[in-house]
Amino acid sequence: MVLGQLDSFNWFSMDNVIKFILIIILVILTIVATSFGVANIAFKQAEVRVKSWQAIGYIGNAQDYRQALRYADDALFYHPGHNQYLEIKAQILEWGADDNMVDRQTALQHAKQLYLQSTSTRPTWPATWAALAMLKWRMQEFDSQMVSFLQNAYAMGRNSPEVKLAFQQLGPVLRDYHPQLFAPLEPQYDDLLKIK
């Protein structure tokens, strides 16, 4: 009788193993979803700060800058390598460089690395290429890499507002001061600005 009761209470039956595996999978999925949710909340907090800086034209104070940077770092901690999170951190670093919150050259170099990391997994996003070209301008690096960033931006999204803005702002500078760099971009520049 005891053996019969033990057989009916077999924990290692196929049904119990399947249930156990499903529970483990659900727990893992819940943890992953929660971490992605926390990452997105942190990203949104960082994004709100950047948008407020854009509205007023400067960073409110050093504490606001540090908090935005913490939010971006938190987003990347919970979801490493996410393109938008990389780019928001790059934008925050650029703002910090412009408002003398950090060493300018170091911050801009780090921002460039973040943008390039983003392009490695999302090469067709034109705004990232445009941001890289504008960053090169801020770093005063007028070179073939800037030209390739602009060409990629144009190829990936010539109608993107960020691409048009990059060409509007960089085109005249390149045309007037770096004509050898402007020459390969002239057709795209003319196309975007409808100069014929």
Side-chain angles (χ1 to χ4, degrees), residues 5-125:
Q5 288 175 340
L6 286 176
D7 285 341
S8 66
F9 194 71
N10 184 357
W11 282 99
F12 296 106
S13 72
M14 188 55 95
D15 286 343
N16 286 338
V17 169
I18 291 171
K19 287 177 188 175
F20 180 75
I21 291 171
L22 288 174
I23 289 170
I24 295 297
I25 290 170
L26 287 173
V27 167
I28 291 170
L29 290 175
T30 301
I31 291 169
V32 169
T34 301
S35 71
F36 285 179
V38 170
N40 194 51
I41 289 169
F43 163 74
K44 289 295 184 185
Q45 291 294 325
E47 185 181 48
V48 163
R49 284 189 168 56
V50 169
K51 286 182 178 181
S52 73
W53 302 340
Q54 290 169 341
I56 62 174
Y58 60 91
I59 297 173
N61 56 54
Q63 182 179 354
D64 194 35
Y65 174 76
R66 285 191 302 273
Q67 184 61 54
L69 202 51
R70 272 193 299 273
Y71 283 134
D73 286 339
D74 287 349
L76 286 166
F77 175 79
Y78 287 106
H79 196 166
H82 188 286
N83 303 95
Q84 286 182 298
Y85 305 168
L86 292 167
E87 291 184 25
I88 199 69
K89 183 170 181 178
Q91 291 171 27
I92 292 166
L93 289 168
E94 287 185 83
W95 276 95
D98 287 347
D99 283 8
N100 299 314
M101 301 280 176
V102 291
D103 176 69
R104 180 175 179 76
Q105 201 57 30
T106 302
L108 294 179
Q109 200 60 23
H110 189 192
K112 181 180 174 186
Q113 291 169 354
L114 292 167
Y115 284 129
L116 287 171
Q117 185 180 348
S118 178
T119 64
S120 70
T121 57
R122 190 179 58 190
T124 59
W125 198 308

